[in-house]
Amino acid sequence: MSGPGGVRGAPAHTGPEPRDERAAKREPVGREPMGRAGAGRGDRVSHVRVRDLAVVLETRTVLSGVGFEVRGGDWLAVIGANGAGKSTLLRALAGVLPCSGEVLVDDTPVRRLRARDRARLLAYAPQAPALPVDMTVFDYALLGRTPYIPYLGRESRRDREVTASVLERLDLSSFASRTLGHLSGGERQRVVLARALVQQAPVLLLDEPTTALDLGHQQQVLELLDRLRLADGLTVVTTLHDLSLAGQYADSMMLIAGGRVAASGTPAEVLTERLIGEHFDARVRVGTGAGGRPQVHLERP
């Protein structure tokens, strides 16, 4: 585990429960993987490496000296108090915000790529995306094919097939013609995930994918994401406010505080009473749940 100022994320497979065991507990998706064009678990998956990333907005330094690695097919959960820089980090990785430093996907420096080429490697879903209320579910998900559609061109039959396949896998086919304004919170989150998957990028960047969802829908979204990750060999980086949920699903975790990496490692290494008390100003008790994964319980002062 890195201490304050550390910049190296935890290696994959170091969580209390190996990925192979977790995969065995989940039903196979049972359809052609659509996370990437032709992607399957037997194909090489993409790893992410970030070095000395910094973001300065106007004159304020929001992130500084951030670095980490995520091995291909693993899930990194980024945690931290409000204002720590979690969302800024994902936006910088996706190229939405200017930054310095190096972002590599399979040793490809993505900051030097054109936006269209970068979008074929990294799919980003913001915390509160703009959802046009009159747009249909199918048309919104189809926007994920933008990196593959020529300028001034139209979507191809292949683009529509990819979109339809992803909607089927996410149990959204029956909603294809429904407008976004007539969806529940859980349905909207699945549609946002669908657009990211339609992009067929090997790396998913998801900012608070369970925001504003009740417990049941939080679990459904994270279980769905984990099944797709395992089936398609996707590499996932998420921000999550719920520390117990993050500890249940992530292979590794990174704690951001004051725009820097305060700690990184396995969920058990990062979710400690000392670190949570120091960086969240909260009194908690950390227990051990299924598979040896940490569970965080608030305690009254």
Side-chain angles (χ1 to χ4, degrees):
M1 178 176 64
S2 302
V7 296
R8 188 67 62 182
H13 298 234
T14 54
E17 188 176 8
R19 285 181 61 244
D20 289 345
E21 293 182 15
R22 296 177 69 194
K25 293 180 181 179
R26 287 168 170 75
E27 298 179 1
V29 177
R31 302 184 179 94
E32 178 188 0
M34 295 304 300
R36 294 184 282 153
R41 296 209 59 190
D43 294 340
R44 183 172 64 90
V45 291
S46 293
H47 66 274
V48 177
R49 185 162 65 249
V50 176
R51 297 171 178 163
D52 200 28
L53 185 142
V55 175
V56 178
L57 299 179
E58 297 181 347
T59 60
R60 184 170 65 96
T61 299
V62 182
L63 293 172
S64 178
V66 173
F68 59 90
E69 294 185 20
V70 190
R71 279 215 306 232
D74 272 15
W75 184 334
L76 169 69
V78 181
I79 63 170
N82 291 339
K86 304 183 300 296
S87 295
T88 298
L89 173 61
L90 261 61
R91 295 173 69 193
L93 296 178
V96 177
L97 285 179
C99 65
S100 60
E102 197 167 37
V103 180
L104 303 171
V105 174
D106 291 335
D107 299 320
T108 298
V110 298
R111 291 186 56 234
R112 303 177 191 172
L113 299 176
R114 298 181 307 164
R116 290 168 61 85
D117 294 329
R118 184 171 58 242
R120 296 184 184 190
L121 292 177
L122 297 161
Y124 167 62
Q127 183 177 149
L131 297 177
V133 295
D134 294 328
M135 181 176 282
T136 67
V137 167
F138 187 91
D139 287 341
Y140 180 79
L142 185 62
L143 292 175
R145 300 301 297 169
T146 301
Y148 305 93
I149 300 174
Y151 292 112
L152 303 180
R154 293 183 59 83
E155 70 275 5
S156 66
R157 177 179 177 182
R158 170 65 176 165
D159 294 324
R160 300 186 71 83
E161 288 175 347
V162 169
T163 302
S165 178
V166 169
L167 292 181
E168 181 184 359
R169 294 185 71 196
L170 272 61
D171 294 324
L172 288 169
S173 294
S174 61
F175 296 85
S177 60
R178 185 176 299 185
T179 58
L180 299 176
H182 289 85
L183 299 179
S184 68
E187 291 161 355
R188 284 195 296 269
Q189 290 300 101
R190 279 191 289 153
V191 171
V192 171
L193 179 58
R195 174 176 170 171
L197 291 172
V198 165
Q199 205 165 315
Q200 292 191 306
V203 180
L204 291 180
L205 307 173
L206 307 178
D207 192 4
E208 295 290 347
T210 60
T211 186
L213 297 182
D214 60 37
L215 284 176
H217 285 110
Q218 288 181 34
Q219 185 178 53
Q220 290 172 20
V221 168
L222 293 178
E223 282 292 319
L224 174 61
L225 177 58
D226 204 28
R227 288 175 56 202
L228 295 169
R229 174 182 71 96
L230 294 170
D232 292 7
L234 300 173
T235 302
V236 176
V237 180
T238 60
T239 61
L240 286 169
H241 271 298
D242 190 309
L243 301 183
S244 287
L245 277 179
Q248 290 291 309
Y249 287 91
D251 295 296
S252 59
M253 301 184 71
M254 182 170 68
L255 170 62
I256 299 287
R260 290 182 173 271
V261 178
S264 62
T266 67
E269 290 173 324
V270 176
L271 294 180
T272 68
E273 294 173 2
R274 180 185 67 82
L275 285 172
I276 295 171
E278 178 181 352
H279 295 288
F280 291 87
D281 192 25
R283 177 177 295 183
V284 300
R285 174 176 54 85
V286 179
T288 302
R293 288 180 169 264
Q295 291 184 328
V296 180
H297 306 277
L298 281 173
E299 290 194 334
R300 296 188 64 178

